[in-house]
């Protein structure tokens, strides 16, 4: 294209496809941005081009993305290109844009303009109160919260017609929850989008004013939009129809958060006159990595075809390693990392990916043995996770009933109706009388009512019985007894949300670590294992120190590293199946949509690597307390043989 004189700097450094995207004139535009293709550069140049070269007022451009960090980065880049003051004022996350719209017109929905926005903790408090008033166990709060989120992601402020007794219960909770929010003059994050859409649909004057105002709309990470977000965009873009959406359907991995990949897949159907520009030059990965990733994602049926070219040229083949078990897998990966580090790759440019949080434990243990510093991205280190610390507190209490900190933590893990006031009285009694906290708690319990006496006596009897058992039991058997007799596992299992499933798997991984310790060391004493745990934890890296990264694949989205290991590539683990077979691991087949999302997740994992990629699996693995035979992931069978080396 011919660039108007004086604007060459806006397009400097862009390739042909990026230039086409940045300078598109009128009408809908779909920018298919393959992995590592420089999409942020293209869309920020587009915003600058509209302002400087096409004289669009900054106030008439709406730019939307998903995170505050991404919005800030977009704003900074545009300000550099335009010179500060000319950056669009309507630039932010979906939720921030929804909030601004509602602040302007909340009274039209019967809300005060200074309505309160509840964060997740506030919403949980309301749900807890609702559940208590309805006589429901609070262990199911996450399930209720997930249900309400799903409804609002679909633009529903009232529950749909229930089909099962469980859905009827959830619908009742949502109605009561919404009533509580309305009474408090409050909205949660889901309301900010669903109510903004409702406002635009019900009030023509507001809708027409905003449709006229937004001459151009630019949306980043469009593959992650849900129903409510897309509805908001379609309504606002109705007049000018200059809706530019940027994304990659091959990287849509958040359906569990409400993301709808069909939004980007069906965009050309929704807008038949849309221009489609594919950013097909990858500036991140070497040819073997990109070719292997492209072959795997090519097995998905529902996708836009893309032909990505690796601009950094050839490199070493993708390596695949099969280990005997998860311990051998971790040992291999850590040895390889040490070799890469010796070859000059900084630890900060190295990453280990896995499908579930619980998998981090064996890698953390192996890294500690070699004293290699690491950080967990997007989560906590294994022994710092709440449910893991809860169980360890119980175990510490069994070997030392005088451990006050352990007692205070174990006291309500799971909850036993012994509240903070009772505990504070026991602390004061212990300090005043010079006795241990457990003895003081017994005295406070005896002074309370009959219900409190029963609760405290039951706790003390449980601690006593378990402590006596733990003296002679193997460490693993002691852990199993704690999980069973305290009701801890039943408490976790009552939460059927994804977070609840993660907590269950973390606790079972803790049990697996004890069994592994017994087998490898020949030691069976619980105190010896606890000493080992307490000694390894201080080896965490100092803040700011050079460290490698461990994370789930979901947390890796948007990042890149020189050397990447993707681990646990076994059917049932990656791709992940959450339905367990009868004593034989994970047998239920995923439906097509779930399998395609798992394959997109694999594609994201592979395309984070710049120079070196290694994929690993184990023949056997302990999951949920059982030894399971592993079958190599279908994704390994989909790799191109000419780009792979077995090691």
């Amino acid at each position: 294209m011919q660039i108007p004189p004086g604007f060459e700097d806006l397009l400097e450094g862009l390739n042909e496809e990026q230039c086409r995207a940045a300078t598109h004139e009128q009408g809908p535009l779909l920018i298919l941005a393959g992995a590592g293709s420089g999409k942020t550069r293209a869309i920020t140049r587009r915003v600058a081009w509209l302002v400087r070269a096409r004289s669009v007022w900054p106030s008439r451009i709406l730019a939307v993305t998903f995170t505050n960090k991404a919005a800030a980065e977009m704003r900074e880049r545009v300000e550099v290109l335009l010179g500060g003051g000319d950056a669009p004022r309507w630039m932010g996350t979906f939720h921030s844009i929804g909030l601004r719209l509602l602040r302007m017109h909340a009274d039209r929905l019967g809300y005060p303009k200074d309505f309160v926005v509840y964060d997740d903790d506030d919403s949980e408090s309301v749900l807890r109160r609702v559940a208590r008033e309805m006589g429901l166990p609070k262990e199911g709060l996450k399930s209720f919260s997930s249900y309400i989120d799903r409804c609002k992601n679909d633009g529903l402020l009232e529950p749909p017609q229930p089909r099962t007794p469980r859905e009827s219960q959830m619908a009742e909770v949502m109605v009561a929850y919404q009533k509580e929010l309305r009474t408090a003059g409050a909205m949660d994050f889901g309301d900010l989008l669903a109510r903004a859409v409702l406002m635009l649909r019900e009030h023509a004057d507001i809708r027409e004013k905003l449709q006229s105002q937004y001459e151009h709309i630019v949306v980043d990470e469009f593959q992650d939009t849900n129903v409510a977000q897309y509805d908001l965009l379609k309504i606002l873009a109705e007049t000018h129809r200059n809706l530019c959406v940027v994304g990659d359907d091959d990287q849509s991995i958040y359906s569990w958060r409400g993301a709808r990949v069909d939004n980007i897949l069906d965009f050309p159907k929704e807008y038949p006159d849309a221009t489609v520009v594919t950013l097909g030059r990858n500036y991140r990965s070497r040819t073997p990595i990109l070719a292997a990733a492209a072959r795997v994602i090519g097995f998905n049926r529902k996708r836009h075809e893309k032909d990505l070219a690796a601009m950094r040229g050839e490199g070493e083949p993708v390596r695949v390693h099969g280990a005997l078990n998860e311990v051998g897998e971790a040992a291999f990966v850590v040895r390889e990392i040490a070799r890469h580090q010796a070859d000059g790759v900084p630890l900060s440019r190295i990453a280990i990916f896995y499908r579930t949080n619980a998998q981090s434990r064996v890698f953390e243990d192996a890294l500690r043995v070699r004293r290699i510093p690491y950080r967990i991205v997007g989560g906590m280190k294994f022994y710092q996770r709440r449910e893991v610390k809860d169980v360890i507190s119980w175990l510490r209490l069994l070997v030392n009933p005088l451990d006050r900190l352990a007692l205070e933590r174990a006291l309500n893990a799971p909850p036993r109706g012994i509240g903070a006031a009772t505990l504070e009285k026991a602390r004061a009694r212990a300090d005043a009388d010079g006795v241990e906290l457990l003895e003081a708690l017994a005295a406070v319990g005896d002074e309370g009512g009959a219900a409190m006496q029963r609760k405290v006596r039951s706790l003390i009897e449980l601690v006593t019985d378990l402590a006596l058992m733990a003296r002679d039991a193997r460490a693993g058997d002691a852990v199993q007894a704690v999980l069973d007799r305290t009701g801890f596992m039943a408490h976790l299992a009552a939460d059927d949300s994804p977070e609840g499933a993660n907590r269950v798997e973390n606790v079972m991984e803790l049990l697996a670590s004890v069994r592994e310790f017994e087998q490898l060391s020949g030691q069976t004493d619980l105190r010896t294992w606890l000493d080992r745990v307490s000694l390894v934890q201080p080896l965490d890296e100092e803040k700011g120190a050079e460290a490698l990264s461990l994370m789930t694949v979901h947390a890796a989205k948007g990042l890149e590293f020189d050397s990447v290991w993707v681990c646990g590539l076994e059917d049932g683990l990656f791709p992940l199946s959450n339905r367990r077979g009868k004593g034989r691991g994970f047998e239920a087949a995923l439906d097509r949509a779930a399998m395609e999302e798992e394959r997109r997740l694999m594609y994201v994992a592979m395309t984070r690597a710049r120079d070196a990629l290694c994929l690993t699996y184990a023949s056997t693995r302990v999951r949920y307390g059982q030894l399971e035979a592993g079958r190599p992931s279908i994704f390994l069978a989909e790799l191109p043989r000419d780009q792979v080396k077995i090691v």
Side-chain angles (χ1 to χ4, degrees):
M1 64 168 289
Q2 187 170 359
I3 303 173
F7 302 111
E8 295 86 355
D9 60 314
L10 291 180
L11 307 180
E12 184 179 357
L14 298 187
N15 62 41
E16 181 181 349
E17 295 83 12
Q18 291 171 332
C19 194
R20 282 181 58 209
T23 59
H24 173 76
E25 293 292 337
Q26 297 289 322
L29 172 64
L30 170 60
I31 304 175
L32 292 173
S37 62
K39 68 178 178 64
T40 304
R41 169 181 290 220
I43 59 174
T44 53
R45 299 295 182 93
R46 172 161 181 75
V47 173
W49 177 267
L50 290 172
V51 174
R52 278 185 52 191
R54 290 296 174 257
S55 301
V56 178
W57 284 101
S59 60
R60 294 176 65 80
I61 299 174
L62 172 63
V64 192
T65 188
F66 275 83
T67 66
N68 290 316
K69 179 181 178 182
E73 180 184 358
M74 186 187 297
R75 179 180 296 278
E76 289 172 6
R77 292 201 188 191
V78 171
E79 285 178 347
V80 169
L81 291 167
L82 294 179
D86 289 333
R89 292 151 184 79
W90 285 89
M91 183 179 286
T93 65
F94 274 100
H95 289 100
S96 69
I97 297 300
L99 177 59
R100 288 181 66 180
L101 295 177
L102 290 168
R103 286 283 184 224
M104 295 163 58
H105 305 288
D107 57 316
R108 303 288 287 275
L109 295 176
Y111 275 84
K113 288 193 175 181
D114 58 349
F115 63 86
V116 178
V117 179
Y118 279 179
D119 62 17
D120 290 341
D121 289 339
D122 298 326
S123 297
E124 184 178 328
S125 296
V126 175
L127 267 179
R128 190 180 297 112
R129 183 166 64 250
V130 167
R132 184 170 62 248
E133 292 173 354
M134 295 177 66
L136 299 173
K138 59 185 178 181
E139 287 80 10
L141 285 181
K142 286 292 184 182
S143 301
F144 299 136
S145 177
S146 296
Y147 174 82
I148 294 170
D149 284 344
R150 287 196 301 271
C151 289
K152 293 185 179 182
N153 287 337
D154 289 341
L156 301 176
L157 291 162
E158 296 179 357
Q161 186 66 32
R163 297 165 296 180
T164 65
R166 176 63 170 165
E167 286 186 0
S168 295
Q169 185 183 68
M170 289 185 168
E172 291 177 19
V173 170
M174 180 174 178
V175 169
Y177 170 79
Q178 290 295 91
K179 184 178 179 181
E180 289 280 339
L181 291 189
R182 170 71 75 168
T183 301
M187 298 187 196
D188 63 15
F189 286 143
D191 285 322
L192 296 181
L193 295 172
R195 291 199 183 278
V197 172
L198 177 68
M199 178 183 70
L200 292 173
R201 284 179 173 154
E202 292 189 345
H203 299 280
D205 58 329
I206 299 174
R207 180 175 67 248
E208 292 167 3
K209 177 183 177 182
L210 291 171
Q211 287 173 343
S212 175
Q213 175 179 339
Y214 299 125
E215 186 176 344
H216 286 271
I217 300 176
V218 179
V219 187
D220 193 14
E221 301 288 5
F222 183 63
Q223 78 278 354
D224 294 334
T225 52
N226 58 36
V227 172
Q229 289 162 339
Y230 194 18
D231 284 347
L232 180 68
L233 296 172
K234 285 188 286 190
I235 293 171
L236 293 176
E238 197 170 299
T239 297
H240 294 289
R241 301 187 75 255
N242 293 321
L243 176 59
C244 167
V245 298
V246 187
D248 183 5
D249 51 290
D250 290 336
Q251 298 185 65
S252 180
I253 59 174
Y254 297 119
S255 65
W256 50 278
R257 245 169 29 188
R260 187 173 178 271
V261 68
D262 286 345
N263 288 351
I264 191 168
L265 291 174
D266 294 342
F267 189 84
K269 299 177 186 176
E270 188 84 30
Y271 297 94
D273 59 333
T275 298
V276 179
V277 177
T278 301
L279 305 184
R281 307 186 198 189
N282 178 288
Y283 295 94
R284 177 187 300 149
S285 304
R286 297 288 184 182
T287 297
I289 296 171
L290 193 61
R295 174 69 186 278
V296 171
I297 198 62
F299 282 88
N300 273 4
R301 297 184 184 181
K302 292 183 63 176
R303 61 184 295 264
H304 291 294
E305 288 294 332
K306 309 172 196 71
D307 186 14
L308 298 184
M311 305 308 292
R312 296 185 62 233
E314 293 295 330
E316 64 180 61
V318 175
R319 304 197 308 154
V320 176
H321 176 78
L324 177 62
N325 53 35
E326 70 269 31
V327 177
E329 178 186 43
F332 167 79
V333 170
V334 172
R335 283 198 306 272
E336 289 289 287
I337 285 172
R339 181 175 64 81
H340 278 240
Q341 185 183 13
D343 289 342
V345 181
L347 284 177
S348 61
R349 303 301 305 161
I350 297 174
I352 301 172
F353 299 159
Y354 35 78
R355 183 63 181 83
T356 66
N357 278 300
Q359 289 171 257
S360 76
R361 197 271 306 173
V362 288
F363 295 104
E364 292 186 60
D365 287 351
L367 290 165
R368 286 187 175 111
V369 168
R370 282 189 173 250
R371 305 188 71 85
I372 296 177
Y374 67 92
R375 57 175 58 92
I376 302 287
V377 176
M380 288 187 290
K381 296 184 176 181
F382 182 80
Y383 293 104
Q384 295 173 350
R385 293 168 191 165
R386 184 184 72 188
E387 59 276 9
V388 172
K389 294 184 75 171
D390 286 344
V391 176
I392 289 176
S393 291
W394 266 106
L395 301 175
R396 286 171 47 194
L397 190 60
L398 300 192
V399 300
N400 180 14
L402 304 182
D403 188 334
R404 176 180 287 200
L405 289 178
L407 175 62
E408 291 183 3
R409 186 173 190 108
L411 188 65
N412 281 300
R416 300 179 185 280
I418 302 174
T422 301
L423 181 57
E424 188 55 42
K425 288 180 183 178
R427 286 196 197 100
R429 173 70 67 89
D431 293 340
D433 296 350
V435 298
E436 298 303 328
L437 183 59
L438 195 62
E439 181 181 344
L441 183 63
V444 171
D446 288 340
E447 295 170 358
M452 182 56 65
Q453 287 180 9
R454 285 196 302 272
K455 292 173 183 176
V456 172
R457 287 178 182 175
S458 175
L459 172 68
I460 292 175
E461 289 173 3
L462 179 61
V463 171
T464 303
D465 289 349
L466 286 173
L468 289 172
M469 177 275 303
R471 287 181 180 178
D472 301 317
R474 297 175 67 91
D477 294 338
V479 176
Q480 187 68 66
V482 166
L483 298 180
D484 293 339
R485 294 189 56 188
T486 64
F488 194 80
M489 288 307 295
H491 169 70
L492 293 183
D495 177 5
D496 58 4
S497 69
E499 292 86 353
N502 278 335
R503 284 193 283 271
V504 169
E505 189 162 4
N506 283 334
V507 170
M508 297 313 296
E509 182 63 25
L510 179 68
L511 175 59
S513 75
V514 179
R515 302 287 193 195
E516 176 189 303
F517 167 76
E518 292 177 342
Q519 182 178 3
L520 295 179
S521 69
Q523 300 280 345
T524 61
D525 180 59
L526 179 60
R527 185 189 298 275
T528 305
W529 179 80
L530 285 170
D531 287 344
R532 172 182 173 274
V533 171
S534 64
L535 287 173
V536 298
Q537 291 188 70
L539 297 181
D540 297 346
E541 84 284 349
E542 298 178 2
K543 289 185 177 179
E546 182 79 6
L548 67 85
S549 297
L550 277 72
M551 69 194 79
T552 64
V553 182
H554 279 103
K557 178 77 160 52
L559 304 178
E560 63 177 55
F561 299 89
D562 291 349
S563 302
V564 168
W565 282 260
V566 184
C567 305
L569 282 162
E570 299 124 44
D571 280 339
L573 183 54
F574 197 2
L576 180 67
S577 170
N578 285 319
R579 287 180 53 196
R580 301 184 66 207
K582 295 181 180 179
R584 297 186 60 192
F586 290 74
E587 298 177 344
L590 294 171
D591 61 38
R592 179 177 295 171
M595 176 58 83
E596 293 214 347
E597 177 145 342
E598 288 291 311
R599 190 173 281 110
R600 292 194 293 269
L601 197 56
M602 181 64 179
Y603 176 78
V604 167
M606 297 175 72
T607 55
R608 301 310 94 194
R610 287 171 48 82
D611 298 316
L613 173 64
C614 184
L615 312 175
T616 69
Y617 65 94
S619 298
T620 61
R621 184 179 299 271
V622 176
R623 292 199 70 198
Y624 292 98
Q626 296 181 351
L627 182 65
E628 298 175 353
R631 182 173 59 191
S633 170
I634 187 175
F635 302 148
L636 295 175
E638 294 171 350
L639 295 168
R641 294 186 179 181
D642 60 335
Q643 303 290 356
V644 170
K645 179 180 180 182
I646 307 298
V647 294

